[in-house]
């Protein structure tokens, strides 16, 4: 069950990180007045920032053995993946300005 929580959250948060970064990079809704695909390409940096966090989570679970980690710790680490998406969006927004 713990592995399902870990890998399921990694896959779903990764999908959401890619979706959100592509949405912002393409200019969001009705903001792309040019013929270019990526109006704000700096938002694509959200993907590597999330990947770094995901790699750190996987390394943590391989070192600790997922069976020995408690459920509250798993939930907090999964929450950290979601927080990293929003922090990377904030960082990219600062770069865009």
């Amino acid at each position: 069950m713990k592995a399902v929580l870990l890998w399921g959250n990694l896959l779903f948060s990764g999908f959401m990180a890619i979706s959100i970064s592509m949405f912002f990079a393409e200019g969001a809704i009705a903001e792309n007045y040019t013929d270019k695909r990526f109006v704000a390409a700096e938002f694509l940096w959200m993907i590597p920032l999330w990947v770094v966090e995901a790699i750190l989570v996987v390394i943590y679970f391989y070192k600790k053995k997922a069976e020995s980690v408690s459920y509250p710790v798993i939930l907090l680490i999964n929450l950290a993946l979601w927080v990293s998406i929003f922090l990377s969006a904030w960082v990219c927004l600062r770069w865009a300005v």
Side-chain angles (χ1 to χ4, degrees):
M1 182 66 180
K2 292 178 181 180
V4 172
L5 284 175
L6 169 68
W7 291 109
N9 188 53
L10 273 172
L11 290 174
F12 186 66
S13 66
F15 172 75
M16 291 305 294
I18 291 171
S19 299
I20 291 170
S21 67
M22 293 294 283
F23 176 74
F24 286 134
E26 290 177 350
I29 297 174
E31 292 183 11
N32 190 353
Y33 299 114
T34 64
D35 289 333
K36 296 187 288 183
R37 175 165 181 168
F38 298 118
V39 178
E42 53 272 353
F43 282 101
L44 293 175
W45 279 100
M46 287 175 62
I47 299 169
L49 292 173
W50 177 86
V51 168
V52 168
E53 176 75 24
I55 289 172
L56 291 175
V57 167
V58 170
I59 289 173
Y60 175 79
F61 278 107
Y62 275 126
K63 278 184 146 181
K64 293 282 188 177
K65 303 291 183 209
E67 296 82 25
S68 65
V69 180
S70 67
Y71 282 107
V73 172
I74 290 174
L75 293 176
L76 286 174
I77 290 174
N78 285 342
L79 180 66
L81 282 171
W82 289 98
V83 169
S84 72
I85 293 173
F86 295 108
L87 285 177
S88 62
W90 182 78
V91 167
C92 292
L93 184 63
R94 295 291 147 210
W95 284 343
V97 174

